[in-house]
Amino acid sequence: MESFSARVRHALKDRDLQFALDRATAHLRSRTRTAFNSLENADAVRDKARQAKLDVLKNLDRYLIQFEAKLIENGTHVHWAETGRNACGIVLDIARNRDARNIVKSKSMVTEEIELNRALIENGFHVVETDLGEYIVQLAGERPSHIIAPIIHMTRDRVGRIMHEKLGVPYSDESETLTAYAREKLRREFLNADIGISGANFGVAETGTVCIVTNEGNGRMVTTLPKIHIAIMGIEKLVPGMQDLDLMLKILARSGTGQKLTSYTTLVNGPGNSPADGSPEEVHVILLDNGRTNILAGETAEILACIRCGACLNACPVYNTIGGHAYGDVYPGPVGSIVTPGLRGLAPWKDLPYASSLCGACREVCPVRIDIPRMLLSLRSSAVSETPQPPGIRFGMKLFGFLTENPDLYRFFGRAVRIVVRALLKGEWISKLPGFLDGWTKKRDLIKPPQESFQELWKKRKKRND
Amino acid sequence: MTEPDSTGPRDRILDGIRSALRTSIVPGNQETAPDSAAEEAAINREIILSRFTEELDLLGVDCFRESTPEEVARRVGLLIGGRKIFCWDSASLPYGIASVLRDEQVVTDRDNHGSQAEAEIGLTGCSAGIAETGSLMLIPGEGTSGKNSLLPEIHVAVVKESDIYYSMKEVFDHFKQELRKAPYVNIITGPSRTADIEQTLTLGVHGPGSVIVVIGP
């Protein structure tokens, strides 16, 4: 894979992407604001939802055992997967044992995370994404670029061309026509499917309920028509009880799409008694770790409270500039910059915590108030201490540390630098610093230092006032 | 049914979690913002009903309020006309609506998804309406499959006025047992929709593109 900065450079040059992002995220942000206005006691709801998620994390082992017991009581098969590979293996085993061939999937980030489609296709299964955006991503051979709006990076012209090329349907750039093509193609897939695979938005520990929300109805289709339903769920997705689920549902759709509630909220309790009632004969839940325990052990544990609404992506000035693909893995945006290094290891992903201006917009919009900037800083700190720094940087940092601890010296040096730079500088901006200092001005200009420092101004002002 | 799988992965994951929790940094309890929620019980029927119909309107759901069982049946008859219907068993449909359906327009095959999907209209009752969000909660049972409200392009739901609650919280409390017993439960809030293509709202992706609610006495 290209380096992070190369990916960013490409994204910045992609005019379609820039155009699509500008429009879409502004739209989503304004819808979310309006939707929260309609929520009574929004602050209390968010606080309580946060407490419920943190409570689950602090007692995760107990809640998982409770959830498992309820699932089994309801007749659901429970599987535990330490890695993505294990989870794919479990799905493959179920599919082989039941002589399945056709598999339909509803939208699920966790199955992207474990690259389930690839495993299924390599083993000869026919697997189709059924969320419209995910379907188009699959046709195009790409990856989703947003947690809830997978093709936020595509123009409708591009969607029309992809469908025309891959499905042989007449070209159109009308959302309605393109959606109708998908409905027809996918309806056939649903009716012929042997297995339906979904993720899980929430698992209710108290009742053994898996909650899946979708707007299109793909979540309902995959849990209703095929004889077998497999839900793959990260171990952190639990909530204690139904009343906590109510809190989560209140904030999820509002933060995600600006709706009060998603069109379809499906509560899956287990297999049904007869096919006529529209429930599968067999339900499996796969509880996936895949690095989550590692996250739980450290300073970024709080990110496991994330409900994957995507609001932090829409709010983030960096996401809005570089789009989802530049982050290089499944989870983009501020949340991804913490989750990806946590799940996959910090060393190969140490650039991600820097993909932020630490402006705090993500923390502000997060419905469960996750302190993303704090964790980005902590990851930056780990990234620096894990990688050996060049001697120049080490010396520079030591010097800076020394100066900040000695106020008189600090003032003296500051003053000296200001005087020298002001004497040498012609214009208002410095576009290139000499020697190794050039690293700073490569990506930004430096403004001419002021005549007096803040401390000096402050002293003067105090004197005047005294 | 399977027994807990006690070999390997389960115990390793749980042990991993327990040792992670020893070093984990999860923020402690914080003060929660004051919650001045009006007690839903205090909200009167008319407010609940008008909120329900307002929310349905915002969702683009057509809503009819009828005052007698006969009017409900007549309304349903007008709405479905001669079109093919995939509906709940006649005994389960409220207000004796089944009387307005003609045998030849009703899909009777309970297992064949293909023929069910050919029906134009899905006709159902409803376990509870949720005013706050304009939602319909359907708990399936004998003869009342979730497929009725999913496969056809139009969903007509008949709701009893007394089954409309203010909030989902209230509904979760009130239907606690039913919610646990059913293999699955659907809460339907407006038509099937997508905004995946350039944020353009488009209805009827996989589920019904049109939902019609008839409220009866």
Side-chain angles (χ1 to χ4, degrees), chain B residues 118-192:
Chain B
E118 280 165 22
E120 275 181 80
I121 296 184
L123 175 62
T124 72
C126 170
S127 305
I130 304 172
E132 211 177 25
T133 50
S135 308
L136 309 166
M137 182 173 78
L138 274 69
I139 303 178
E142 191 55 39
T144 60
S145 161
K147 290 182 290 184
N148 302 112
S149 57
L150 179 63
L151 297 177
E153 288 182 21
I154 302 168
H155 173 207
V156 177
V158 180
V159 187
K160 275 191 187 161
E161 206 184 288
S162 55
D163 288 338
I164 301 169
Y165 297 78
Y166 184 72
S167 66
M168 183 182 297
K169 182 175 187 289
E170 231 180 311
V171 168
F172 280 177
D173 274 340
H174 195 266
F175 289 86
K176 207 167 186 171
Q177 292 311 316
E178 292 88 336
L179 284 171
R180 273 186 198 200
K181 267 189 283 170
Y184 64 93
V185 175
N186 281 303
I187 299 167
I188 300 171
T189 310
S192 157

Side-chain angles (χ1 to χ4, degrees), chain B:
Chain B
M1 247 206 261
T2 47
E3 285 304 308
D5 142 31
S6 57
T7 62
R10 175 185 188 270
D11 289 350
R12 282 200 295 275
I13 291 174
L14 289 172
D15 284 345
I17 291 170
R18 286 178 196 122
S19 78
L21 285 172
R22 284 195 282 275
T23 57
S24 183
I25 299 176
V26 180
N29 284 355
Q30 284 148 347
E31 229 175 279
T32 54
D35 185 356
S36 60
E39 271 310 305
E40 282 96 20
I43 299 172
N44 74 39
R45 295 299 314 165
E46 267 316 306
I47 293 177
I48 293 176
L49 262 171
S50 67
R51 174 72 185 262
F52 185 57
T53 52
E54 259 167 50
E55 292 295 333
L56 289 175
D57 189 47
L58 288 173
L59 292 165
V61 173
D62 285 330
C63 179
F64 301 90
R65 203 170 156 185
E66 308 294 348
S67 45
T68 66
E70 296 72 38
E71 280 172 35
V72 173
R74 204 178 57 91
R75 173 64 66 191
V76 170
L78 285 174
L79 286 170
I80 61 182
R83 292 182 282 187
K84 241 190 162 31
I85 309 297
F86 175 41
C87 60
W88 282 9
D89 283 359
S90 38
S92 312
L93 285 171
Y95 303 115
I97 302 168
S99 62
V100 302
L101 307 176
R102 293 195 313 277
D103 285 349
E104 66 274 17
Q105 74 179 138
V106 176
V107 176
T108 46
D109 195 330
R110 288 178 67 184
D111 297 318
N112 186 334
H113 295 157
S115 75
Q116 293 168 353
E118 280 165 22
E120 275 181 80
I121 296 184
L123 175 62
T124 72
C126 170
S127 305
I130 304 172
E132 211 177 25
T133 50
S135 308
L136 309 166
M137 182 173 78
L138 274 69
I139 303 178
E142 191 55 39
T144 60
S145 161
K147 290 182 290 184
N148 302 112
S149 57
L150 179 63
L151 297 177
E153 288 182 21
I154 302 168
H155 173 207
V156 177
V158 180
V159 187
K160 275 191 187 161
E161 206 184 288
S162 55
D163 288 338
I164 301 169
Y165 297 78
Y166 184 72
S167 66
M168 183 182 297
K169 182 175 187 289
E170 231 180 311
V171 168
F172 280 177
D173 274 340
H174 195 266
F175 289 86
K176 207 167 186 171
Q177 292 311 316
E178 292 88 336
L179 284 171
R180 273 186 198 200
K181 267 189 283 170
Y184 64 93
V185 175
N186 281 303
I187 299 167
I188 300 171
T189 310
S192 157
R193 52 180 273 166
T194 183
D196 274 346
I197 299 173
E198 284 194 7
Q199 304 301 308
T200 314
L201 179 64
T202 309
L203 302 180
V205 193
H206 299 308
S210 163
V211 178
I212 302 169
V213 169
V214 181
I215 303 173

Side-chain angles (χ1 to χ4, degrees), chain A residues 181-225:
Chain A
Y181 290 155
R183 178 180 171 105
E184 200 200 320
K185 293 271 173 198
L186 293 173
R187 183 54 76 97
R188 246 172 292 152
E189 300 285 355
F190 284 127
L191 292 172
N192 290 324
D194 305 306
I195 296 181
I197 297 179
S198 73
N201 292 93
F202 304 101
V204 184
E206 181 188 65
T207 57
T209 302
V210 174
C211 174
I212 301 161
V213 304
T214 62
N215 270 316
E216 299 176 4
N218 50 336
R220 285 186 71 187
M221 286 285 184
V222 305
T223 59
T224 301
L225 295 180

Side-chain angles (χ1 to χ4, degrees), chain A residues 256-311:
Chain A
T257 53
Q259 292 166 276
K260 286 176 191 146
L261 199 59
T262 313
S263 299
Y264 301 115
T265 304
T266 306
L267 309 175
V268 177
N269 283 330
N273 304 318
S274 78
D277 76 4
S279 52
E281 293 167 13
E282 213 177 292
V283 178
H284 297 261
V285 170
I286 300 176
L287 297 166
L288 176 74
D289 184 337
N290 204 32
R292 285 163 176 77
T293 309
N294 292 339
I295 298 181
L296 184 65
E299 290 190 66
T300 58
E302 191 186 344
I303 202 68
L304 295 174
C306 171
I307 59 170
R308 302 281 188 269
C309 67

